[in-house]
Amino acid sequence: MKDKIRMSTPLVEMDGDEMARIIWKMVREELVEPFVDLKTEYYDLGLLNRNATEDTVTVEAAEAAKKYGVAVKCATITPNRQRMEEYPQLTRMWRSPNGTIRSILGGTVFRTPILADGILPAVRSWKRPITIARHAYGDVYRAVDLHTEEPGECTLTFRGESGSEKMLSVFRSNGPAVWQAQHNLDGSIRDFARSCFRFALEQKQDLWFCAKDTIAKVYDGRFREIFEEEYEAWKGEFEKQGIRYFYTLIDDAVARVIRSEGGFIWACKNYDGDVMSDMVSTAFGSVAMMSSVLVSPDGCYEFEAAHGTVTRHYYRYLRGEKTSTNPVAIIHAWGGALKKRGEKDGLPELSAFGEKLITACMDTLNSGIMTGDIAALAEKPVHTATTEEFICSVAEKLA
Ligand code: NAP
Ligand code: MG
């Protein structure tokens, strides 16, 4: 057997919950460890360990990602009321780990559908993936709302620390009314823009950004301005790579996206990204075929699958049944992370392995071996594989 591929800097590994955790272990043991002398800094973000460590493990994992620059994360349970009943030992309804990690690393989540032969997107013209970059701060998600009953005037006041004051009349209403105030921060918009330009350049794909600055002249206008200011720093590199940045209105963008062949990055404001990512992922096929990476403005990367812990399959697994849970996005997360680790450390063999892992996974799919969720969408008959069979087939291709 050939020597295993060496690593120099550890990969930050964040383990998770339920079926995703089961697949995680299989991918690590069967697809990575036989080929790579794997060095990871391991953090168990499984719900019970988050509880036992009072969630400090999540913060430590995020700090390690910041320190080393590359992490790979398994899906984790975000507890809700029902989970509190399911796990009576929980001392608190712990926060979403992804939220905690994002607040430490900052940056933008890029979600890209994974396309397999014979699984046709619902939009016939789409030939290549469309990556959604959603700004994950502010706007309606941090808005304040008010309902009033009597006639009256609503005003908006900003009080500067220097003592300056700016006031606007929102509206004078004759009867009951609803009101809302939103905000965003120049710093957050700038970080968003930087992460987008960096990612587009790495992917060698055009970057589209859209808002509604004809209506929200100041608010969306500021987004547009910041993107244009930031673009100045990247313009030379973009031109060298033959890619472009372009701004258009959200409604025009939607029409263009539908008519396009795909193969670009679509940067969206928070709400637009929330809505459009569900549209894009569904039209491309399945949530299990969506990869996700958080890119911080200073260039840290956290790779994961876009899907959750796949609870229903986990309970079947616990009953001893074989499941046909799709491991494609988890394999892509590992492949992407190893590739990035190799690039950062100047280890071409490691990068090449990350790429080969992804290729072996795609070759398996394209040879007609698929898990049940996508087998049902395939144009031609395919072999519906269990998770183990699928991983085994990827391992054979890799070897
Ligand atoms: P989910 O785990 O993504 O599963 C939703 C459904 O989608 C599944 O029941 C399954 O449908 C299908 N599915 C998802 N991934 C699949 C895969 N790899 N292979 C085959 N089918 C797949 O979402 P959820 O049920 O809303 O959430 C479950 C738990 O995951 C929650 O506790 C939530 O907090 C957590 N979550 C974590 C993350 C994260 O850490 N990034 C993201 C989302 C959710 P069928 O059952 O019909 O086969
Ligand atoms: Mg949503």
Side-chain angles (χ1 to χ4, degrees):
M1 174 121 192
K2 251 182 61 184
D3 278 350
K4 288 189 188 179
I5 297 164
R6 291 282 188 81
M7 293 181 66
S8 49
T9 316
L11 178 64
V12 178
E13 178 184 355
M14 307 180 186
D15 209 345
D17 290 298
E18 300 190 318
M19 200 61 207
R21 186 179 178 107
I22 305 297
I23 299 177
W24 189 261
K25 188 162 181 282
M26 289 161 68
V27 169
R28 186 191 209 280
E29 290 178 358
E30 285 161 52
L31 301 182
V32 181
E33 282 175 341
F35 308 98
V36 178
D37 190 12
L38 187 65
K39 263 197 189 179
T40 71
E41 202 164 289
Y42 178 86
Y43 293 88
D44 182 1
L45 302 198
L47 183 56
L48 294 179
N49 195 46
R50 274 180 278 146
N51 190 59
T53 61
E54 308 217 297
D55 211 20
T56 54
V57 65
T58 309
V59 174
E60 284 164 11
E63 273 158 7
K66 216 178 163 85
K67 175 174 167 198
Y68 293 114
V70 188
V72 60
K73 179 181 171 289
C74 179
T76 44
I77 293 171
T78 298
N80 54 15
R81 217 161 288 286
Q82 185 202 334
R83 295 291 195 175
M84 299 299 284
E85 282 162 25
E86 189 180 347
Y87 296 89
Q89 62 271 61
L90 294 187
T91 54
R92 274 181 55 190
M93 206 189 283
W94 303 106
R95 291 180 48 192
S96 147
N98 285 14
T100 303
I101 294 166
R102 204 160 52 217
S103 70
I104 294 172
L105 288 180
T108 304
V109 176
F110 296 87
R111 296 212 149 168
T112 311
I114 300 161
L115 270 57
D117 291 352
I119 309 280
L120 296 184
V123 179
R124 270 172 300 159
S125 61
W126 289 356
K127 306 244 166 355
R128 290 184 293 148
I130 296 168
T131 297
I132 297 269
R134 172 183 170 190
H135 184 212
Y137 179 82
D139 303 348
V140 72
Y141 302 86
R142 294 293 277 271
V144 288
D145 298 70
L146 194 63
H147 178 231
T148 53
E149 300 286 349
E150 60 170 324
E153 186 186 15
C154 181
T155 61
L156 186 65
T157 310
F158 172 81
R159 242 170 251 116
E161 283 188 355
S162 69
S164 75
E165 208 171 271
K166 284 188 174 176
M167 206 212 10
L168 285 176
S169 170
V170 177
F171 194 71
R172 180 176 291 281
S173 154
N174 295 325
V178 280
W179 314 90
Q180 182 178 69
Q182 296 187 21
H183 80 279
N184 220 304
L185 307 169
D186 275 20
S188 170
I189 302 168
R190 208 171 284 287
D191 281 353
F192 173 49
R194 283 186 190 149
S195 304
C196 290
F197 287 121
R198 180 192 292 279
F199 192 77
L201 198 59
E202 284 181 356
Q203 300 296 312
K204 300 193 177 51
Q205 289 185 340
D206 289 349
L207 176 67
W208 301 18
F209 174 59
C210 57
K212 192 75 180 178
D213 66 321
T214 43
I215 302 298
K217 289 189 171 58
V218 174
Y219 198 104
D220 284 20
R222 189 67 191 135
F223 276 78
R224 181 179 181 174
E225 258 166 38
I226 290 177
F227 264 76
E228 271 156 23
E229 283 165 25
E230 286 299 320
Y231 182 50
E232 286 307 310
W234 302 82
K235 207 172 183 170
E237 282 299 313
F238 266 56
E239 281 166 4
K240 232 187 268 170
Q241 296 293 344
I243 57 174
R244 64 181 190 134
Y245 162 67
F246 102 102
Y247 172 84
T248 187
L249 291 169
I250 172 80
D251 37 359
D252 179 52
V254 168
R256 283 171 188 261
V257 164
I258 296 297
R259 288 195 309 263
S260 77
E261 288 195 354
F264 54 89
I265 321 279
W266 185 10
C268 293
K269 288 181 61 201
N270 209 349
Y271 176 80
D272 299 340
D274 187 353
V275 177
M276 292 305 155
S277 69
D278 280 335
M279 191 269 283
V280 168
S281 65
T282 308
F284 270 110
S286 154
V287 62
M289 295 284 282
M290 194 85 175
S291 66
S292 181
V293 56
L294 171 68
V295 182
S296 79
D298 52 350
C300 291
Y301 291 75
E302 186 228 83
F303 292 83
E304 62 171 344
H307 63 76
T309 60
V310 214
T311 312
R312 290 211 307 167
H313 294 221
Y314 180 58
Y315 282 98
R316 261 182 257 148
Y317 166 87
L318 289 182
R319 287 197 299 269
E321 293 170 32
K322 292 237 180 284
T323 74
S324 182
T325 316
N326 193 336
V328 167
I330 295 177
I331 297 173
H332 274 246
W334 274 94
L338 292 169
K339 189 173 163 203
K340 181 56 71 185
R341 190 67 271 166
E343 284 168 13
K344 286 206 181 230
D345 294 347
L347 298 172
E349 260 198 291
L350 186 62
S351 296
F353 176 78
E355 189 73 53
K356 275 182 206 154
L357 178 55
I358 291 171
T359 308
C361 173
M362 296 316 291
D363 287 348
T364 300
L365 285 171
N366 294 340
S367 72
I369 298 172
M370 295 178 185
T371 46
D373 54 320
I374 52 171
L377 303 172
E379 265 193 310
K380 291 187 197 136
V382 294
H383 172 67
T384 305
T386 62
T387 308
E388 275 139 347
E389 279 175 322
F390 188 92
I391 289 178
C392 203
S393 169
V394 178
E396 278 165 20
K397 292 206 158 52
L398 264 180

